[in-house]
Amino acid sequence: MSVSPPEAARRGAQAPPPGPRRWLGLLVVVALTCGGVAYAVEQREDDARSRPPVTATPSAPPNQSNKPPSKTAAAIAARRLAVDTILLRRAKAVRTGNERLFLADVDPADTKLRQEQRTLFANLVDLRFAEIGYSQAEERFDQTVVREHGPSTYLVRVLMRYQIPKVDHDPVTTELGYTFVSRGGRWIITDDDDLDDELGPTAHREPWDLGRIEVRRGPRVLAIVEKGDTDRAEAIVAEANEALAQVAGYWPRRWRGSVLIAALDDTEVRDARFADEDVESAASAGSTFTSLPGQDTADGTVGGAYIVVNPKERDRIDEILLSHEITHVATADLGGYEPLWLAEGAAEYVSWRGIEAVSGPGEVAQWEQEVIDQALPGLSALPSDLGFYQSNADVYGVSWLAVRFLVRELGIRAVEELYEDLARHGTDQANRDRILLTRTGYTEATLWISLKAYRPQR
Ligand SMILES: [Zn+2]
């Protein structure tokens, strides 16, 4: 049986900054090689490049030259109260399953918006949030939106704080932009996408924002598919169960969380941008935040990660692909400061252990030799975060080889502890160097030299 080895890809994503890689997706890419063999290849994508500023700086809206018309303090306070009340009502409507209440503040003249909101409401109810709430962040101003909706227009960034049972260990936050207008002395929501381009990459692109969904649950899996795509949802749950067992079996961290997997029609879900890619990614694991970047700290705080599957690759979801992604999910909350070669190498390591269990050591040994013979000569150092995705070399294969080498030298437990330490404390290169040297006796330079000299025992 020919398995699809997880492997490397590259894409035009900007290299992440040396510290945290927050708005990231961890992608599994599928490319067809010239031999016609499907290789699952993968990549972590950094969206920092395209990330608009999300820092809560009310004094610095995008177009400062166009200030909103001045209002009296009393008018602003009254508006604030009215909008807060609407947001409270929306959350209560979801909690109590009351569609009429959810639609009560939506523009009665806008049939399309009302229909979309009906869909959103049904989705939110299906997710059975343990907690849901909306709050106003800062006002934004956009003259074109005012032209469209009139002088009372109030455009505001809204934080949605929620917790999906089992999936989100702690409540997490996502962003929205709502446009309110005052009509007949009453505030209503008249648009929900005017701010989308100025918010973070997951804003208004969560799986429940995009169309009517269906939710299927396993003991530690929540699959989200298009309404009616039930067979796929069930297949995902089954494959994810296998993959969870592999991650538990081959990665020592005792992670007992559940994984959310969205497999929808859309090519843009959360921070995944499958349509933009040169190489087709099969899936992506993108962070969730208990505190968004810029909210309390510049980096934000990662709560976990959700997996998003490329619509074109939905028929090829298997445990191998998912075990790679779930390794990312199972390490996401550690902090995200580990070097990419370690993050991707560890995910590849788990996937390959799964392949080894199915097909025996031969295939893995062959792949290892190919990486040594073909990939290593194309590099002159361990793959750095900078340029990881621009590299034409097989940085994923080399990362996997490095982790495999460390596991042979030190044992899997020591490698897992190294990972944890780096993920939590590898905030800059000096810290990374210190942690790596202390825990392994290697620097990145001497580890590279050892890899070059590595001749696996067969
Ligand atoms: Zn990955």
Side-chain angles (χ1 to χ4, degrees):
M1 180 190 92
S2 168
V3 280
S4 304
E7 189 219 315
R10 68 267 342 156
R11 208 170 71 133
Q14 192 87 357
R21 301 174 306 278
R22 295 312 191 184
W23 291 105
L24 326 157
L26 300 131
L27 301 186
V28 167
V29 181
V30 167
L32 286 177
T33 66
C34 49
V37 181
Y39 280 99
V41 287
E42 73 90 60
Q43 122 158 50
R44 178 184 290 206
E45 176 206 12
D46 174 34
D47 268 318
R49 166 188 48 138
S50 55
R51 178 183 56 178
V54 294
T55 314
T57 48
S59 58
N63 42 1
Q64 266 187 309
S65 53
N66 297 323
K67 291 265 166 49
S70 59
K71 289 187 165 55
T72 65
I76 290 171
R79 183 182 65 192
R80 179 152 205 92
L81 180 64
V83 169
D84 277 346
T85 307
I86 290 172
L87 295 179
L88 282 170
R89 228 174 349 243
R90 280 171 79 77
K92 185 183 175 190
V94 174
R95 280 196 299 272
T96 57
N98 185 338
E99 187 194 74
R100 185 192 292 254
L101 190 64
F102 194 79
L103 294 173
D105 303 294
V106 179
D107 191 344
D110 192 335
T111 315
K112 180 168 173 283
L113 179 66
R114 289 182 73 82
Q115 188 49 48
E116 288 167 358
Q117 290 284 306
R118 239 178 232 114
T119 299
L120 171 64
F121 171 79
N123 290 344
L124 294 176
V125 169
D126 283 353
L127 284 160
R128 301 183 205 156
F129 292 103
E131 176 181 327
I132 181 166
Y134 301 90
S135 61
Q136 296 182 67
E138 76 282 1
E139 181 180 6
R140 300 287 180 97
F141 185 75
D142 185 332
Q143 189 60 53
T144 57
V145 179
V146 174
R147 265 198 292 273
E148 187 185 345
H149 296 295
S152 73
T153 299
Y154 174 54
L155 190 57
V156 62
R157 188 168 72 99
V158 169
L159 302 179
M160 174 181 162
R161 190 159 178 81
Y162 66 89
Q163 185 173 23
I164 300 173
K166 296 207 280 186
V167 170
D168 303 308
H169 188 264
D170 298 303
V172 293
T173 298
T174 188
E175 293 176 294
L176 294 161
Y178 285 158
T179 309
F180 293 88
V181 291
S182 174
R183 211 173 279 162
R186 175 172 164 248
W187 287 93
I188 53 171
I189 299 174
T190 194
D191 236 330
D192 65 350
D193 60 3
D194 290 330
L195 261 187
D196 285 3
D197 292 343
E198 295 173 22
L199 302 178
T202 69
H204 204 206
R205 301 218 64 83
E206 296 289 353
W208 49 86
D209 286 321
L210 304 167
R212 187 69 176 104
I213 56 169
E214 183 165 322
V215 177
R216 271 283 183 281
R217 291 172 172 84
R220 295 179 62 197
V221 187
L222 189 145
I224 299 179
V225 297
E226 303 291 334
K227 187 76 176 171
D229 202 5
T230 313
D231 290 351
R232 187 189 310 284
E234 283 169 0
I236 290 173
V237 170
E239 294 293 333
N241 282 338
E242 300 288 324
L244 281 160
Q246 287 179 11
V247 174
Y250 303 130
W251 193 249
R253 184 179 191 222
R254 295 169 71 86
W255 180 77
R256 298 300 309 157
S258 298
V259 57
L260 183 153
I261 302 169
L264 301 172
D265 276 347
D266 300 77
T267 53
E268 296 189 8
V269 182
R270 311 198 79 245
D271 54 351
R273 298 285 186 273
F274 297 117
D276 296 346
E277 297 178 334
D278 300 332
V279 181
E280 287 183 0
S281 308
S284 140
S287 302
T288 58
F289 292 89
T290 55
S291 169
L292 288 170
Q295 196 177 340
D296 300 310
T297 62
D299 298 342
T301 306
V302 175
Y306 298 160
I307 295 170
V308 177
V309 177
N310 185 336
K312 285 198 229 155
E313 301 294 337
R314 278 183 297 177
D315 294 337
R316 290 153 64 160
I317 303 167
D318 61 17
E319 67 195 70
I320 295 167
L321 183 148
L322 290 179
S323 66
H324 177 110
E325 293 302 301
I326 292 173
T327 306
H328 287 318
V329 176
T331 51
D333 65 325
L334 290 171
Y337 291 99
E338 73 282 11
L340 283 174
W341 67 262
L342 185 58
E344 302 303 349
E348 290 292 276
Y349 173 82
V350 170
S351 270
W352 273 104
R353 287 296 306 273
I355 294 169
E356 199 169 10
V358 172
S359 59
E363 195 153 355
V364 179
Q366 189 189 333
W367 181 243
E368 185 175 51
Q369 199 57 50
E370 281 179 34
V371 171
I372 290 169
D373 293 341
Q374 293 164 29
L376 276 186
L379 291 171
S380 54
L382 272 183
S384 66
D385 290 2
L386 193 70
F388 199 93
Y389 307 114
Q390 289 81 5
S391 175
N392 289 318
D394 180 7
V395 288
Y396 290 82
V398 171
S399 298
W400 169 67
L401 189 71
V403 169
R404 198 167 154 83
F405 173 81
L406 286 174
V407 170
R408 286 197 179 182
E409 292 281 301
L410 310 166
I412 182 65
R413 193 157 292 281
V415 173
E416 195 278 331
E417 285 165 5
L418 169 72
Y419 192 114
E420 204 156 317
D421 201 356
L422 281 166
R424 291 187 199 282
H425 305 119
T427 48
D428 57 30
Q429 194 56 47
N431 282 327
R432 286 179 173 186
D433 292 345
R434 176 182 52 76
I435 292 165
L436 183 66
L437 184 61
T438 309
R439 288 190 170 271
T440 69
Y442 291 106
T443 63
E444 289 196 350
T446 59
L447 177 57
W448 175 251
I449 291 165
S450 299
L451 276 187
K452 296 283 275 187
Y454 176 46
R455 296 290 172 270
Q457 305 274 311
R458 302 289 183 213

